[in-house]
Amino acid sequence: MHIAHTIAALRHARTTLADGKPGPHLGLVPTMGALHAGHRSLLRRARQECDLVVAFIFVNPLQFAPTEDLARYPRTFEADCRMLEEEGVDVLFAPTPEEMYPNGNNTFIHVTGIEGRLDGASRPGHFTGVATVVAKLFHIVAPTRAYFGQKDAAQVAVLRQMVRDLNFDLELIACPTVRDADGLALSSRNAYLSADERVRALILSRTLQRIASSIAEGTRDAATLRAEAHALLSSEADVVLDYLEIVDPDSLLPVVVANPGTLIAIAAKVGSTRLIDNLLAP
Ligand code: PAF
């Protein structure tokens, strides 16, 4: 695997390696590192579907508010490289913040409307940071396919809108959430949870499962589903709900009826760790 820390080195590796490949597909897997089995599933899919695979590891300061966990965000570069090697990644692009944001970086991407919904409502500026770094990355790497986890459903919605609005010539692929055997959605932030918090955190996936069961039994009224979910959530001590929303998966606007494909998304603080999870209504 080639490791590029600069944009020039990435572009050089990309051009040299793409020449020898059988087809035109360049798959990009953007991450902030601390890779887990969820990332592995994105890498695998990219490897299956693309001729050249580029992974990106960058803890993007622009998407963290000053009060958030930028400094303590888990960084496991060596283990990450081992996973990337195992999954047959061709190039790792791992720039420094100075390389991505040299002095004089004054251009930011605002996906207006959507960027203020769900996580964007609780984390103002977060999706501007995400959209800006991903737009820069798309320009630098020029992928034909880019792979993201459906666990970050609001991020997927923001980026899909950006791809449409800015005419990026690529396919954005959202891959299913990977879960531990007990249902907890995999996240790099799970590393912050104590054993006790880890158990409490299961309330997120249990709540989503309850909503899915109610839908399967015929309840599609969003207000009824939300009320059921709130009742279940309030049974778990030390879990502070941020949002529980039943929304259109593209606009992230609330719906009245949870039709198949409607996004049911939840965010909550378990101790000091903010976790998110979601499902698409059956
Ligand atoms: O999902 C993430 O890990 C990040 O938000 C992303 C897309 C790599 C941008 O920093």
Side-chain angles (χ1 to χ4, degrees):
M1 181 174 74
H2 291 249
I3 301 183
H5 292 293
T6 64
I7 294 167
L10 178 276
R11 285 194 165 136
H12 183 258
R14 179 198 185 286
T15 314
T16 341
L17 292 172
D19 274 354
K21 295 289 171 187
H25 279 300
L26 195 164
L28 172 67
V29 182
T31 81
M32 299 206 298
L35 303 181
H36 49 65
H39 296 111
R40 197 186 281 281
S41 75
L42 307 182
L43 296 164
R44 244 171 227 183
R45 176 112 182 245
R47 185 68 284 168
Q48 277 162 13
E49 296 180 351
C50 301
D51 305 289
L52 191 72
V53 176
V54 176
F56 175 61
I57 295 185
F58 180 62
V59 184
N60 174 31
L62 207 60
Q63 68 191 71
F64 289 78
T67 50
E68 291 182 345
D69 56 344
L70 173 63
R72 73 173 190 131
Y73 195 83
R75 286 161 172 88
T76 57
F77 191 72
E78 249 119 71
D80 292 350
C81 286
R82 280 198 294 279
M83 185 192 287
L84 299 178
E85 296 266 12
E86 281 162 20
E87 297 308 325
V89 167
D90 298 293
V91 184
L92 165 60
F93 178 39
T96 59
E98 295 71 32
E99 181 72 4
M100 285 306 273
Y101 302 114
N103 286 337
N105 186 87
N106 280 317
T107 305
F108 301 93
I109 305 288
H110 291 285
V111 183
T112 56
I114 302 186
E115 70 171 11
R117 296 175 193 144
L118 299 192
D119 306 282
S122 354
R123 304 182 66 190
H126 171 66
F127 286 131
T128 302
V130 170
T132 302
V133 79
V134 172
K136 284 166 74 76
L137 189 60
F138 285 173
H139 284 301
I140 294 165
V141 178
T144 59
R145 293 179 174 143
Y147 297 82
F148 295 88
Q150 175 63 29
K151 191 190 70 94
D152 299 312
Q155 170 169 282
V156 167
V158 166
L159 294 177
R160 275 197 199 292
Q161 184 69 48
M162 179 188 82
V163 165
R164 280 195 296 272
D165 289 347
L166 296 183
N167 305 98
F168 282 106
D169 191 12
L170 58 85
E171 192 185 346
L172 195 154
I173 295 159
C175 301
T177 301
V178 177
R179 298 176 181 281
D180 273 335
D182 57 10
L184 185 70
L186 295 192
S187 161
S188 305
R189 289 192 169 91
N190 291 352
Y192 300 148
L193 299 171
S194 68
D196 176 57
E197 288 168 348
R198 169 89 189 45
V199 174
R200 291 182 194 287
L202 293 175
I203 192 70
L204 275 79
S205 55
R206 282 219 313 273
T207 302
L208 292 173
Q209 277 317 315
R210 172 71 65 85
I211 295 183
S213 306
S214 295
I215 292 176
E217 286 157 17
T219 308
R220 290 196 176 268
D221 173 62
T224 311
L225 293 169
R226 255 201 312 273
E228 272 182 28
H230 277 286
L232 182 60
L233 277 159
S234 59
S235 67
E236 188 61 77
D238 297 333
V239 173
V240 179
L241 182 66
D242 177 353
Y243 65 73
L244 172 83
E245 297 282 1
I246 302 182
V247 298
D248 176 87
D250 296 319
S251 69
L252 304 182
L253 286 169
V255 296
V256 175
V257 176
N259 287 315
T262 292
L263 174 67
I264 301 157
I266 185 169
K269 264 196 153 182
V270 181
S272 59
T273 305
R274 185 174 180 282
L275 298 176
I276 60 174
D277 199 353
N278 69 82
L279 61 78
L280 297 174

